[in-house]
Amino acid sequence: MTTIERDPRWAQIKGRDKGADGEFWYGVATTGVYCRPSCPARLAKPQNVSLHTTTAEARAAGFRPCKR
């Protein structure tokens, strides 16, 4: 089990929890985008996910916003 899978926010991403939107964002290394937890895009592999507390933090890490 990866570190991301042990993080409670991963369950919110998997469940597409709209209540978590605005609390954090996640970046996907293979696509270069960051998304809100409720994003309807296909679920990324946990080893490709990084968690961010702000959109500015995600952008600083090199991610662009998801278009969904």
Side-chain angles (χ1 to χ4, degrees):
M1 183 176 279
T2 65
T3 304
I4 291 293
E5 290 174 295
R6 287 190 286 274
D7 191 302
R9 294 174 289 182
W10 178 245
Q12 293 175 301
I13 294 167
K14 283 177 45 179
R16 303 198 193 302
D17 183 358
K18 289 185 182 199
D21 287 356
E23 292 181 19
F24 69 94
W25 289 261
Y26 69 97
V28 182
T30 53
T31 61
V33 301
Y34 68 87
C35 302
R36 62 192 189 286
S38 69
C39 182
R42 186 171 48 128
L43 186 64
K45 292 180 181 179
Q47 63 266 27
N48 295 326
V49 171
S50 58
L51 300 171
H52 306 279
T53 55
T54 65
T55 57
E57 182 182 303
R59 284 192 305 273
F63 296 101
R64 62 179 172 78
C66 177
K67 292 184 179 181
R68 290 185 166 212

